[in-house]
Amino acid sequence: MSPRSVMRFVEWTIGALRGELPQTVIVIRCLEPGCTETSDPSPSHIDPDHWALKHAGRMGHTDYEEVARSRLVATPKSPQQGVAA
């Protein structure tokens, strides 16, 4: 006998871990050429914003990027979550 493959279409979803709220972490990094400094990660904007303002005052750098990171998990949808047949 030759081997057989069974293929099926599976819908996926992406989001926070099941039963958990998304945990977003904010980081601000300086975009001044040659500068590699970044704020410490924080769950709110307050500390990264303060870091950027202090860095601007100390260094004269005025161009920044804010990065928001959340851990996401991709999981297959269970049959009851899919579209009814």
Side-chain angles (χ1 to χ4, degrees):
M1 272 200 237
S2 61
R4 293 178 50 176
S5 296
V6 175
M7 298 175 75
R8 65 185 175 103
F9 176 79
V10 177
E11 286 191 53
W12 287 74
T13 184
I14 191 164
L17 290 171
R18 185 174 294 262
E20 292 187 16
L21 293 173
Q23 306 250 338
T24 302
V25 175
I26 310 293
V27 174
I28 294 182
R29 76 178 183 103
C30 182
L31 295 178
E32 186 73 23
C35 185
T36 59
E37 293 192 43
T38 63
S39 69
D40 290 330
S42 174
S44 78
H45 292 269
I46 295 169
D47 291 336
D49 285 355
H50 284 165
W51 173 85
L53 293 171
K54 287 179 186 176
H55 185 73
R58 252 190 351 265
M59 306 300 290
H61 299 172
T62 58
D63 198 12
Y64 296 89
E65 173 182 60
E66 179 181 85
V67 179
R69 290 182 266 193
S70 295
R71 180 176 178 212
L72 302 175
V73 178
T75 55
K77 281 187 173 181
S78 63
Q80 60 267 31
Q81 289 178 317
V83 178

